[in-house]
Amino acid sequence: MGSLQIDVFNLPFVIQVNESDEYLQKLLGYYKKILERIQKNGVLTNPVQISALAGIMLCDELYKEKSKIQKAKGEGEIAGMFADEEESNEAERLTKMMIEKIEKALQ
């Protein structure tokens, strides 16, 4: 079980999930890169709006990847990272849990 200290927009909190600390740090690093891209754009300045847009961008990436996998399955190719329905359900559960914790921290 790994834990991750998240400090985004000066709202720190800790989450614990069944992943390695290294994996969680990679996820947080990727998320922060997306936040930085949004902030550099300069259109949004509200932290809640920036976080929401980052979440939508991540959902977009996930949806596109899952669509590629479904297409690959339909064509008889070997599917990638979310080919297994159990893995997909676990990823969705973890994502929902993280979003809930972020929402609580932002309140």
Side-chain angles (χ1 to χ4, degrees):
M1 168 138 0
S3 65
L4 180 63
Q5 168 82 28
I6 299 174
D7 188 1
V8 178
F9 303 117
N10 295 318
L11 298 167
F13 60 97
V14 176
I15 60 169
Q16 293 189 342
V17 293
N18 290 328
E19 295 292 346
S20 71
D21 289 339
E22 180 181 331
Y23 175 76
L24 294 172
Q25 287 299 325
K26 286 181 183 179
L27 284 181
L28 181 59
Y30 187 68
Y31 181 72
K32 285 184 175 183
K33 284 180 185 178
I34 290 173
L35 291 176
E36 288 172 13
R37 279 190 359 217
I38 295 168
Q39 288 174 313
K40 283 181 183 176
N41 186 337
V43 175
L44 298 176
T45 57
N46 181 306
V48 174
Q49 291 175 331
I50 293 170
S51 294
L53 181 56
I56 290 169
M57 291 172 69
L58 289 168
C59 287
D60 177 54
E61 285 184 31
L62 177 62
Y63 183 81
K64 287 177 180 175
E65 288 302 314
K66 289 177 95 173
S67 294
K68 287 180 193 175
I69 291 166
Q70 289 299 337
K71 183 179 178 186
K73 279 183 174 181
E75 295 172 358
E77 297 175 14
I78 298 174
M81 64 185 220
F82 287 111
D84 185 85
E85 186 175 339
E86 186 176 312
E87 286 180 18
S88 179
N89 290 339
E90 177 66 6
E92 183 177 351
R93 185 187 70 77
L94 291 172
T95 302
K96 286 179 180 178
M97 183 180 73
M98 288 181 201
I99 289 170
E100 288 172 8
K101 290 187 179 200
I102 291 169
E103 287 174 347
K104 286 179 185 176
L106 291 174
Q107 292 176 351

XYZ file of all heavy atoms in Angstrom:
850
model
N 0.851 -1.169 0.000
C 0.000 0.000 0.000
C 0.895 1.230 0.000
O 1.824 1.337 0.774
C -0.913 0.005 1.223
C -1.580 1.323 1.387
S -3.282 1.536 1.827
C -4.048 0.040 2.041
N 0.597 2.144 -0.891
C 1.372 3.366 -0.981
C 0.577 4.557 -0.486
O -0.652 4.549 -0.463
N 1.285 5.577 -0.080
C 0.621 6.819 0.309
C 1.265 7.952 -0.469
O 2.422 7.882 -0.870
C 0.721 7.064 1.809
O 2.061 7.279 2.187
N 0.476 8.987 -0.680
C 0.936 10.095 -1.492
C 0.507 11.391 -0.851
O -0.678 11.588 -0.563
C 0.354 9.987 -2.902
C 0.734 11.063 -3.899
C 2.241 11.046 -4.161
C -0.023 10.864 -5.199
N 1.468 12.262 -0.588
C 1.200 13.599 -0.072
C 0.951 14.494 -1.279
O 1.846 14.714 -2.085
C 2.391 14.116 0.736
C 2.327 15.586 1.078
C 1.470 15.879 2.299
O 1.337 15.039 3.169
N 0.915 17.055 2.356
N -0.258 14.976 -1.412
C -0.619 15.834 -2.534
C -0.741 17.254 -2.016
O -1.463 17.515 -1.059
C -1.947 15.385 -3.178
C -1.811 13.954 -3.704
C -2.360 16.340 -4.294
C -3.087 13.354 -4.216
N -0.026 18.163 -2.658
C -0.107 19.572 -2.287
C -0.291 20.364 -3.571
O 0.670 20.787 -4.200
C 1.149 20.022 -1.542
C 1.014 21.432 -0.985
O -0.059 22.050 -1.161
O 1.976 21.915 -0.387
N -1.545 20.525 -3.961
C -1.877 21.253 -5.169
C -2.669 22.478 -4.749
O -3.640 22.374 -3.991
C -2.698 20.367 -6.132
C -3.096 21.126 -7.375
C -1.925 19.114 -6.504
N -2.254 23.639 -5.197
C -2.914 24.904 -4.864
C -2.951 25.149 -3.359
O -3.927 25.638 -2.816
C -4.323 24.973 -5.461
C -4.339 24.797 -6.948
C -4.986 23.721 -7.521
C -3.695 25.701 -7.778
C -5.004 23.555 -8.893
C -3.707 25.528 -9.150
C -4.362 24.459 -9.710
N -1.885 24.760 -2.675
C -1.750 24.976 -1.222
C -2.861 24.315 -0.413
O -3.275 24.834 0.620
C -1.662 26.465 -0.907
C -0.413 27.077 -1.491
O 0.662 26.483 -1.429
N -0.554 28.241 -2.091
N -3.345 23.180 -0.883
C -4.363 22.402 -0.173
C -3.840 20.975 0.003
O -4.254 20.060 -0.691
C -5.682 22.393 -0.949
C -6.337 23.752 -1.148
C -7.431 23.670 -2.184
C -6.884 24.262 0.164
N -2.922 20.774 0.953
C -2.308 19.449 1.092
C -3.236 18.402 1.710
O -4.064 18.729 2.562
C -1.116 19.719 2.012
C -1.490 20.924 2.779
C -2.388 21.738 1.891
N -3.083 17.177 1.232
C -3.778 16.034 1.822
C -3.020 14.775 1.435
O -2.170 14.796 0.552
C -5.253 15.972 1.411
C -5.489 15.845 -0.069
C -5.720 14.605 -0.639
C -5.483 16.964 -0.873
C -5.946 14.483 -1.994
C -5.708 16.857 -2.236
C -5.939 15.620 -2.799
N -3.324 13.687 2.120
C -2.638 12.413 1.888
C -3.669 11.375 1.466
O -4.761 11.305 2.038
C -1.901 11.936 3.165
C -1.267 10.570 2.945
C -0.859 12.955 3.593
N -3.317 10.581 0.459
C -4.172 9.462 0.067
C -3.377 8.180 0.223
O -2.151 8.181 0.141
C -4.696 9.594 -1.378
C -3.537 9.635 -2.388
C -5.583 10.818 -1.528
C -3.974 9.503 -3.817
N -4.084 7.084 0.460
C -3.462 5.769 0.535
C -4.232 4.826 -0.375
O -5.453 4.722 -0.271
C -3.460 5.247 1.963
C -2.558 6.047 2.871
C -2.394 5.405 4.231
O -3.163 4.554 4.636
N -1.362 5.827 4.940
N -3.491 4.180 -1.263
C -4.085 3.240 -2.208
C -3.167 2.042 -2.362
O -2.020 2.061 -1.922
C -4.340 3.901 -3.586
C -5.412 4.960 -3.499
C -3.073 4.491 -4.151
N -3.667 1.025 -3.000
C -2.893 -0.200 -3.205
C -1.989 -0.088 -4.430
O -2.110 -0.839 -5.385
C -3.836 -1.403 -3.355
C -4.505 -1.753 -2.066
O -3.930 -1.573 -1.000
N -5.729 -2.236 -2.135
N -1.104 0.882 -4.399
C -0.109 1.076 -5.444
C 1.204 1.442 -4.774
O 1.225 1.895 -3.642
C -0.524 2.200 -6.402
C -1.769 1.925 -7.211
C -1.607 0.818 -8.244
O -0.459 0.422 -8.544
O -2.627 0.350 -8.758
N 2.279 1.300 -5.506
C 3.592 1.632 -4.948
C 3.747 3.147 -4.862
O 3.131 3.903 -5.622
C 4.702 1.044 -5.812
O 4.795 1.750 -7.042
N 4.589 3.582 -3.934
C 4.872 5.007 -3.790
C 5.455 5.574 -5.084
O 5.118 6.689 -5.486
C 5.843 5.254 -2.634
C 5.197 5.028 -1.271
O 3.960 5.073 -1.177
O 5.944 4.814 -0.303
N 6.311 4.793 -5.737
C 6.925 5.242 -6.996
C 5.861 5.502 -8.060
O 5.893 6.524 -8.757
C 7.913 4.187 -7.487
C 8.604 4.564 -8.779
C 9.557 3.479 -9.266
O 10.104 2.726 -8.444
O 9.740 3.402 -10.502
N 4.909 4.591 -8.184
C 3.829 4.749 -9.157
C 3.000 5.987 -8.835
O 2.675 6.779 -9.725
C 2.947 3.497 -9.163
C 1.741 3.621 -10.054
C 1.864 3.517 -11.427
C 0.476 3.835 -9.514
C 0.760 3.631 -12.251
C -0.638 3.952 -10.333
C -0.488 3.850 -11.704
O -1.574 3.976 -12.514
N 2.680 6.183 -7.564
C 1.886 7.343 -7.162
C 2.623 8.648 -7.444
O 2.011 9.628 -7.872
C 1.520 7.246 -5.683
C 0.580 6.092 -5.322
C 0.437 5.980 -3.812
C -0.774 6.261 -5.985
N 3.932 8.667 -7.236
C 4.719 9.868 -7.534
C 4.696 10.168 -9.038
O 4.631 11.337 -9.437
C 6.158 9.710 -7.041
C 6.310 9.780 -5.541
C 5.860 11.124 -4.975
O 6.033 12.176 -5.580
N 5.279 11.080 -3.795
N 4.749 9.125 -9.860
C 4.675 9.324 -11.311
C 3.326 9.918 -11.703
O 3.257 10.825 -12.536
C 4.899 8.001 -12.049
C 6.336 7.540 -12.050
C 6.481 6.244 -12.803
C 7.914 5.734 -12.734
N 8.062 4.457 -13.445
N 2.247 9.398 -11.108
C 0.913 9.938 -11.393
C 0.821 11.404 -11.003
O 0.315 12.234 -11.765
C -0.167 9.154 -10.629
C -0.553 7.792 -11.160
C -1.644 7.187 -10.272
C -1.021 7.871 -12.590
N 1.292 11.725 -9.804
C 1.235 13.103 -9.329
C 2.076 14.010 -10.230
O 1.652 15.120 -10.571
C 1.700 13.199 -7.880
C 1.670 14.597 -7.264
C 0.256 15.175 -7.294
C 2.196 14.557 -5.833
N 3.235 13.546 -10.632
C 4.078 14.330 -11.525
C 3.384 14.616 -12.847
O 3.437 15.739 -13.365
N 2.718 13.618 -13.388
C 1.996 13.798 -14.648
C 0.847 14.782 -14.469
O 0.639 15.670 -15.302
C 1.490 12.443 -15.151
C 0.886 12.508 -16.527
C 1.684 12.773 -17.637
C -0.469 12.306 -16.718
C 1.137 12.832 -18.903
C -1.018 12.368 -17.984
C -0.219 12.628 -19.077
O -0.758 12.702 -20.327
N 0.129 14.648 -13.369
C -0.987 15.554 -13.085
C -0.485 16.992 -12.960
O -1.080 17.927 -13.502
C -1.704 15.112 -11.805
C -2.885 15.974 -11.446
C -4.064 15.911 -12.177
C -2.826 16.856 -10.370
C -5.160 16.696 -11.849
C -3.916 17.646 -10.033
C -5.071 17.562 -10.776
O -6.148 18.349 -10.459
N 0.628 17.180 -12.273
C 1.182 18.530 -12.096
C 1.617 19.127 -13.440
O 1.484 20.335 -13.654
C 2.338 18.511 -11.102
C 1.856 18.377 -9.670
C 3.001 18.462 -8.684
C 2.475 18.442 -7.253
N 3.561 18.586 -6.273
N 2.116 18.289 -14.356
C 2.483 18.787 -15.681
C 1.249 19.312 -16.414
O 1.305 20.339 -17.093
C 3.146 17.686 -16.514
C 4.575 17.402 -16.124
C 5.166 16.313 -16.990
C 6.558 15.948 -16.509
N 7.137 14.856 -17.299
N 0.142 18.604 -16.266
C -1.096 19.052 -16.903
C -1.556 20.363 -16.281
O -1.956 21.296 -16.987
C -2.186 17.965 -16.807
C -1.806 16.788 -17.706
C -3.557 18.518 -17.204
C -2.680 15.593 -17.585
N -1.484 20.464 -14.952
C -1.850 21.715 -14.281
C -0.980 22.869 -14.776
O -1.488 23.975 -15.033
C -1.702 21.578 -12.761
C -2.685 20.663 -12.040
C -2.332 20.582 -10.557
C -4.112 21.122 -12.229
N 0.310 22.627 -14.923
C 1.231 23.670 -15.392
C 0.874 24.124 -16.799
O 0.917 25.324 -17.100
C 2.669 23.160 -15.350
C 3.229 23.030 -13.954
C 4.587 22.342 -13.918
O 5.231 22.170 -14.981
O 5.009 21.960 -12.809
N 0.530 23.168 -17.676
C 0.133 23.534 -19.043
C -1.083 24.442 -19.033
O -1.146 25.423 -19.775
C -0.179 22.277 -19.862
C 1.037 21.599 -20.390
C 0.797 20.498 -21.394
N -0.564 20.174 -21.733
C -1.009 18.943 -21.964
N -0.195 17.918 -21.880
N -2.265 18.727 -22.291
N -2.052 24.123 -18.191
C -3.272 24.926 -18.107
C -2.946 26.319 -17.568
O -3.421 27.327 -18.094
C -4.327 24.230 -17.225
C -4.786 22.921 -17.881
C -5.526 25.148 -16.981
C -5.599 22.027 -16.976
N -2.130 26.364 -16.518
C -1.785 27.648 -15.914
C -0.984 28.520 -16.871
O -1.183 29.738 -16.917
C -1.004 27.428 -14.620
C -1.890 26.897 -13.501
C -1.103 26.540 -12.254
O -0.075 25.872 -12.331
N -1.586 26.982 -11.113
N -0.093 27.929 -17.645
C 0.709 28.698 -18.607
C -0.176 29.309 -19.690
O 0.135 30.369 -20.220
C 1.778 27.813 -19.238
C 2.949 27.559 -18.326
C 3.992 26.697 -18.997
C 5.123 26.392 -18.028
N 6.119 25.482 -18.600
N -1.264 28.631 -20.008
C -2.206 29.145 -20.989
C -2.772 30.484 -20.522
O -3.012 31.374 -21.318
C -3.324 28.124 -21.218
C -4.261 28.507 -22.321
O -4.413 29.660 -22.689
N -4.919 27.503 -22.861
N -2.969 30.621 -19.204
C -3.397 31.887 -18.623
C -4.869 32.208 -18.714
O -5.306 33.240 -18.211
N -5.657 31.357 -19.343
C -7.089 31.632 -19.475
C -7.807 31.441 -18.142
O -8.658 32.249 -17.769
C -7.726 30.744 -20.570
C -9.219 30.934 -20.641
C -7.079 31.040 -21.915
N -7.448 30.383 -17.417
C -8.072 30.107 -16.127
C -7.109 30.462 -15.005
O -5.910 30.203 -15.095
C -8.449 28.628 -16.013
C -9.472 28.097 -17.012
C -9.661 26.598 -16.823
C -10.808 28.805 -16.858
N -7.655 31.027 -13.927
C -6.828 31.341 -12.757
C -7.401 30.737 -11.485
O -6.686 30.595 -10.504
C -6.704 32.868 -12.565
O -8.017 33.432 -12.455
C -5.966 33.506 -13.739
N -8.649 30.361 -11.503
C -9.297 29.770 -10.332
C -8.796 28.330 -10.156
O -8.917 27.510 -11.075
C -10.814 29.796 -10.520
C -11.568 29.218 -9.353
O -11.315 28.090 -8.943
N -12.509 29.977 -8.825
N -8.244 27.989 -8.975
C -7.705 26.638 -8.764
C -8.725 25.522 -8.977
O -8.372 24.459 -9.498
C -7.240 26.657 -7.305
C -7.036 28.087 -6.986
C -8.016 28.850 -7.821
N -9.968 25.743 -8.615
C -10.990 24.704 -8.800
C -11.235 24.485 -10.286
O -11.344 23.346 -10.752
C -12.296 25.073 -8.060
C -13.395 24.077 -8.360
C -12.049 25.167 -6.563
N -11.302 25.567 -11.046
C -11.510 25.440 -12.489
C -10.317 24.762 -13.156
O -10.491 23.915 -14.041
C -11.740 26.814 -13.116
C -13.051 27.446 -12.720
C -13.198 28.859 -13.260
O -12.212 29.568 -13.454
N -14.433 29.262 -13.498
N -9.122 25.109 -12.720
C -7.916 24.488 -13.279
C -7.909 22.993 -12.976
O -7.628 22.172 -13.852
C -6.649 25.174 -12.735
C -6.567 26.606 -13.265
C -5.392 24.381 -13.112
C -5.499 27.457 -12.607
N -8.235 22.626 -11.739
C -8.293 21.211 -11.367
C -9.358 20.469 -12.164
O -9.141 19.337 -12.611
C -8.580 21.061 -9.873
O -7.528 21.558 -9.108
N -10.514 21.103 -12.340
C -11.595 20.470 -13.099
C -11.175 20.257 -14.546
O -11.404 19.174 -15.115
C -12.860 21.321 -13.022
N -10.551 21.256 -15.146
C -10.109 21.121 -16.531
C -9.039 20.033 -16.651
O -9.048 19.245 -17.598
C -9.585 22.452 -17.069
C -9.129 22.432 -18.525
C -10.246 21.952 -19.455
C -8.641 23.813 -18.943
N -8.138 19.971 -15.676
C -7.120 18.911 -15.684
C -7.794 17.541 -15.628
O -7.382 16.618 -16.339
C -6.158 19.086 -14.513
N -8.806 17.406 -14.798
C -9.542 16.141 -14.716
C -10.195 15.781 -16.039
O -10.163 14.617 -16.475
N -10.770 16.762 -16.702
C -11.409 16.518 -17.993
C -10.360 16.116 -19.031
O -10.584 15.203 -19.832
C -12.199 17.761 -18.456
C -13.424 17.940 -17.557
C -12.612 17.645 -19.917
C -14.142 19.247 -17.724
N -9.218 16.790 -18.996
C -8.149 16.441 -19.943
C -7.668 15.012 -19.715
O -7.428 14.264 -20.670
C -6.999 17.428 -19.819
C -7.341 18.825 -20.328
S -6.076 20.067 -19.982
C -4.756 19.527 -21.060
N -7.540 14.606 -18.454
C -7.128 13.234 -18.150
C -8.191 12.232 -18.589
O -7.865 11.168 -19.123
C -6.824 13.093 -16.665
C -5.553 13.801 -16.206
C -5.483 13.848 -14.690
C -4.333 13.119 -16.785
N -9.461 12.577 -18.367
C -10.545 11.698 -18.826
C -10.517 11.554 -20.341
O -10.739 10.463 -20.870
C -11.901 12.244 -18.380
S -12.207 12.055 -16.621
N -10.233 12.648 -21.029
C -10.136 12.622 -22.489
C -9.039 11.665 -22.933
O -9.237 10.837 -23.828
C -9.866 14.036 -23.008
C -9.680 14.075 -24.514
O -10.571 13.588 -25.242
O -8.644 14.606 -24.960
N -7.867 11.765 -22.286
C -6.764 10.858 -22.623
C -7.157 9.406 -22.380
O -6.898 8.535 -23.214
C -5.526 11.191 -21.790
C -4.803 12.428 -22.220
C -3.530 12.649 -21.430
O -2.903 11.655 -21.001
O -3.159 13.818 -21.249
N -7.768 9.146 -21.236
C -8.176 7.785 -20.894
C -9.208 7.262 -21.887
O -9.105 6.133 -22.372
C -8.732 7.740 -19.473
C -9.257 6.396 -18.997
C -8.136 5.355 -18.985
C -9.855 6.524 -17.606
N -10.181 8.097 -22.204
C -11.235 7.690 -23.143
C -10.647 7.353 -24.514
O -10.994 6.343 -25.128
C -12.279 8.801 -23.271
C -13.434 8.417 -24.155
C -14.473 7.632 -23.659
C -13.485 8.823 -25.484
C -15.533 7.271 -24.472
C -14.535 8.465 -26.303
C -15.555 7.689 -25.792
O -16.597 7.319 -26.595
N -9.725 8.189 -24.980
C -9.103 7.925 -26.283
C -8.320 6.620 -26.265
O -8.367 5.846 -27.224
C -8.199 9.094 -26.678
C -8.978 10.324 -27.101
C -8.057 11.487 -27.405
C -8.852 12.712 -27.816
N -7.997 13.903 -27.997
N -7.582 6.379 -25.182
C -6.822 5.134 -25.073
C -7.749 3.925 -25.029
O -7.485 2.910 -25.677
C -5.909 5.158 -23.845
C -4.723 6.084 -23.976
C -3.830 5.751 -25.167
O -3.503 4.563 -25.372
O -3.471 6.689 -25.891
N -8.817 4.032 -24.256
C -9.766 2.912 -24.178
C -10.433 2.677 -25.534
O -10.677 1.533 -25.918
C -10.805 3.169 -23.093
C -10.226 3.077 -21.690
C -11.252 3.404 -20.644
C -11.884 2.140 -20.142
N -12.792 2.364 -19.001
N -10.707 3.753 -26.270
C -11.298 3.618 -27.600
C -10.346 2.902 -28.546
O -10.757 2.051 -29.336
C -11.662 4.997 -28.164
O -12.678 5.584 -27.401
N -9.053 3.239 -28.445
C -8.055 2.559 -29.268
C -8.033 1.066 -28.953
O -7.930 0.226 -29.851
C -6.662 3.137 -29.021
C -6.419 4.490 -29.608
C -4.990 4.919 -29.281
C -4.751 6.376 -29.555
N -3.402 6.802 -29.136
N -8.128 0.743 -27.680
C -8.086 -0.651 -27.252
C -9.312 -1.392 -27.754
O -9.210 -2.516 -28.251
C -7.948 -0.740 -25.721
C -6.564 -0.262 -25.312
C -8.207 -2.159 -25.224
C -6.414 0.010 -23.839
N -10.478 -0.768 -27.632
C -11.702 -1.406 -28.111
C -11.611 -1.652 -29.616
O -12.021 -2.702 -30.112
C -12.928 -0.542 -27.783
C -13.272 -0.504 -26.324
C -13.616 -1.881 -25.758
O -14.013 -2.804 -26.468
N -13.454 -2.019 -24.460
N -11.070 -0.674 -30.335
C -10.908 -0.833 -31.779
C -9.937 -1.971 -32.074
O -10.175 -2.791 -32.948
C -10.409 0.468 -32.399
C -10.295 0.408 -33.893
C -9.828 1.722 -34.473
C -9.693 1.593 -35.985
N -9.108 2.768 -36.592
N -8.844 -2.020 -31.327
C -7.859 -3.077 -31.515
C -8.471 -4.443 -31.225
O -8.202 -5.408 -31.929
C -6.643 -2.833 -30.629
N -9.290 -4.514 -30.193
C -9.965 -5.783 -29.870
C -10.868 -6.205 -31.015
O -10.914 -7.375 -31.380
C -10.802 -5.646 -28.600
C -10.042 -5.753 -27.329
C -11.030 -5.682 -26.166
C -10.371 -5.919 -24.846
N -11.341 -5.868 -23.737
N -11.578 -5.221 -31.556
C -12.489 -5.509 -32.661
C -11.773 -5.988 -33.902
O -12.308 -6.732 -34.697
N -10.541 -5.562 -34.052
C -9.745 -5.958 -35.209
C -8.915 -7.202 -34.922
O -8.106 -7.620 -35.743
C -8.833 -4.791 -35.636
C -9.616 -3.596 -36.125
C -8.749 -2.377 -36.364
O -7.527 -2.447 -36.114
O -9.295 -1.355 -36.799
N -9.056 -7.753 -33.720
C -8.344 -8.970 -33.382
C -6.909 -8.758 -32.941
O -6.156 -9.711 -32.828
N -6.508 -7.500 -32.681
C -5.152 -7.235 -32.232
C -5.054 -7.435 -30.720
O -6.052 -7.498 -30.021
C -4.752 -5.794 -32.580
C -4.722 -5.543 -34.063
C -4.436 -4.095 -34.388
O -4.004 -3.350 -33.496
O -4.659 -3.720 -35.541
N -3.840 -7.486 -30.211
C -3.624 -7.605 -28.768
C -3.897 -6.251 -28.142
O -3.337 -5.246 -28.548
C -2.188 -8.054 -28.447
C -1.957 -9.441 -29.049
C -1.937 -8.033 -26.945
C -0.531 -9.913 -28.921
N -4.784 -6.228 -27.126
C -5.137 -4.971 -26.479
C -4.091 -4.602 -25.445
O -3.345 -5.430 -24.963
C -6.514 -5.089 -25.840
N -4.064 -3.324 -25.076
C -3.056 -2.786 -24.167
C -3.474 -2.730 -22.724
O -4.046 -3.680 -22.201
N -3.234 -1.594 -22.085
C -3.252 -1.478 -20.635
C -4.589 -1.696 -19.956
O -4.621 -2.116 -18.819
C -2.655 -0.142 -20.210
C -3.406 1.068 -20.656
S -2.491 2.540 -20.203
C -3.809 3.580 -19.679
N -5.722 -1.402 -20.586
C -7.000 -1.600 -19.923
C -7.807 -2.714 -20.586
O -9.027 -2.698 -20.554
C -7.818 -0.303 -19.909
C -7.282 0.707 -18.943
C -6.695 1.861 -19.403
C -7.355 0.499 -17.587
C -6.194 2.793 -18.521
C -6.853 1.424 -16.694
C -6.265 2.573 -17.169
N -7.124 -3.676 -21.179
C -7.818 -4.766 -21.845
C -8.614 -5.586 -20.861
O -9.693 -6.075 -21.166
C -6.819 -5.648 -22.586
N -8.117 -5.742 -19.687
C -8.777 -6.532 -18.672
C -9.834 -5.689 -17.971
O -9.551 -4.636 -17.443
C -7.728 -7.030 -17.668
C -8.339 -7.958 -16.641
O -8.452 -9.152 -16.924
O -8.706 -7.443 -15.572
N -11.070 -6.154 -17.975
C -12.180 -5.386 -17.386
C -11.960 -5.144 -15.899
O -12.283 -4.068 -15.380
C -13.498 -6.126 -17.604
C -14.697 -5.329 -17.160
C -16.009 -6.012 -17.487
O -16.028 -6.873 -18.377
O -17.006 -5.676 -16.835
N -11.377 -6.096 -15.209
C -11.115 -5.933 -13.775
C -10.135 -4.784 -13.536
O -10.331 -3.981 -12.633
C -10.563 -7.232 -13.191
C -10.388 -7.200 -11.693
C -9.933 -8.548 -11.163
O -10.534 -9.575 -11.528
O -8.974 -8.560 -10.388
N -9.101 -4.688 -14.350
C -8.140 -3.590 -14.226
C -8.820 -2.259 -14.503
O -8.569 -1.265 -13.821
C -6.981 -3.780 -15.197
C -6.002 -4.860 -14.807
C -4.878 -5.000 -15.820
O -4.663 -4.063 -16.621
O -4.229 -6.049 -15.815
N -9.675 -2.232 -15.498
C -10.384 -1.013 -15.844
C -11.291 -0.565 -14.694
O -11.337 0.611 -14.347
C -11.215 -1.228 -17.106
O -11.927 -0.069 -17.443
N -11.991 -1.517 -14.094
C -12.867 -1.192 -12.969
C -12.070 -0.688 -11.777
O -12.491 0.238 -11.084
C -13.700 -2.413 -12.566
C -14.746 -2.762 -13.595
O -15.138 -1.929 -14.406
N -15.194 -4.003 -13.590
N -10.913 -1.280 -11.529
C -10.068 -0.845 -10.414
C -9.537 0.566 -10.672
O -9.514 1.401 -9.769
C -8.906 -1.823 -10.209
C -7.951 -1.417 -9.119
C -8.529 -1.429 -7.716
O -9.684 -1.860 -7.520
O -7.828 -0.994 -6.790
N -9.130 0.850 -11.897
C -8.648 2.190 -12.241
C -9.756 3.215 -12.047
O -9.525 4.302 -11.506
C -8.142 2.214 -13.681
N -10.962 2.859 -12.450
C -12.100 3.769 -12.271
C -12.390 3.999 -10.793
O -12.623 5.127 -10.360
C -13.331 3.194 -12.963
C -14.541 4.097 -12.885
C -15.741 3.539 -13.631
O -15.600 2.532 -14.365
O -16.824 4.106 -13.484
N -12.337 2.950 -9.985
C -12.599 3.065 -8.550
C -11.560 3.966 -7.883
O -11.902 4.861 -7.104
C -12.585 1.683 -7.890
C -12.960 1.692 -6.406
C -12.748 0.317 -5.780
N -11.345 -0.024 -5.656
C -10.530 0.471 -4.718
N -10.961 1.342 -3.849
N -9.259 0.085 -4.673
N -10.284 3.759 -8.224
C -9.214 4.573 -7.646
C -9.341 6.033 -8.070
O -9.135 6.940 -7.264
C -7.846 4.018 -8.048
C -7.466 2.679 -7.437
C -6.183 2.154 -8.067
C -7.323 2.773 -5.938
N -9.690 6.240 -9.322
C -9.854 7.606 -9.814
C -10.984 8.315 -9.077
O -10.835 9.462 -8.642
C -10.135 7.602 -11.328
O -9.050 6.955 -11.994
C -10.299 9.012 -11.861
N -12.107 7.634 -8.901
C -13.234 8.233 -8.174
C -12.845 8.556 -6.740
O -13.203 9.608 -6.213
C -14.441 7.295 -8.196
C -15.141 7.243 -9.532
C -16.318 6.291 -9.496
C -17.018 6.224 -10.823
N -18.138 5.281 -10.824
N -12.112 7.664 -6.110
C -11.691 7.885 -4.733
C -10.780 9.111 -4.641
O -10.934 9.954 -3.756
C -10.961 6.653 -4.197
C -10.560 6.768 -2.732
S -9.692 5.298 -2.154
C -8.123 5.524 -2.987
N -9.842 9.236 -5.581
C -8.935 10.382 -5.573
C -9.697 11.678 -5.818
O -9.435 12.696 -5.175
C -7.835 10.201 -6.621
C -6.818 9.160 -6.257
S -5.557 9.070 -7.543
C -4.900 7.447 -7.239
N -10.657 11.654 -6.734
C -11.455 12.848 -7.018
C -12.239 13.273 -5.782
O -12.300 14.458 -5.448
C -12.394 12.603 -8.221
C -11.570 12.523 -9.510
C -13.453 13.705 -8.326
C -12.345 12.057 -10.715
N -12.827 12.312 -5.076
C -13.574 12.631 -3.865
C -12.660 13.286 -2.827
O -13.038 14.270 -2.185
C -14.208 11.370 -3.272
C -15.384 10.854 -4.079
C -15.886 9.494 -3.591
O -15.425 9.007 -2.535
O -16.743 8.922 -4.277
N -11.458 12.764 -2.664
C -10.524 13.339 -1.694
C -10.088 14.737 -2.109
O -9.954 15.624 -1.270
C -9.325 12.417 -1.496
C -9.704 11.153 -0.761
C -8.515 10.316 -0.416
C -9.005 9.088 0.349
N -7.968 8.468 1.117
N -9.888 14.937 -3.391
C -9.522 16.267 -3.881
C -10.660 17.236 -3.643
O -10.447 18.365 -3.176
C -9.137 16.218 -5.377
C -7.819 15.467 -5.544
C -9.032 17.627 -5.968
C -7.471 15.132 -6.966
N -11.890 16.820 -3.939
C -13.047 17.695 -3.729
C -13.180 18.082 -2.264
O -13.446 19.233 -1.930
C -14.325 17.010 -4.213
C -14.432 16.949 -5.720
C -15.620 16.150 -6.200
O -16.254 15.421 -5.392
O -15.937 16.243 -7.401
N -12.984 17.126 -1.361
C -13.061 17.429 0.084
C -11.980 18.409 0.487
O -12.212 19.312 1.286
C -12.946 16.133 0.904
C -14.188 15.283 0.861
C -14.012 14.014 1.660
C -15.219 13.114 1.519
N -15.038 11.824 2.210
N -10.788 18.237 -0.068
C -9.678 19.127 0.289
C -9.921 20.542 -0.232
O -9.497 21.516 0.389
C -8.369 18.586 -0.272
N -10.604 20.669 -1.362
C -10.861 21.975 -1.931
C -12.001 22.716 -1.241
O -12.154 23.912 -1.437
C -11.172 21.841 -3.434
C -9.998 21.427 -4.301
C -10.467 21.178 -5.730
C -8.904 22.464 -4.283
N -12.776 22.019 -0.434
C -13.915 22.670 0.236
C -13.507 23.510 1.403
O -12.602 23.467 2.047
C -14.932 21.645 0.685
C -15.620 20.997 -0.492
C -16.582 19.900 -0.079
O -16.652 19.487 1.061
N -17.350 19.439 -1.036
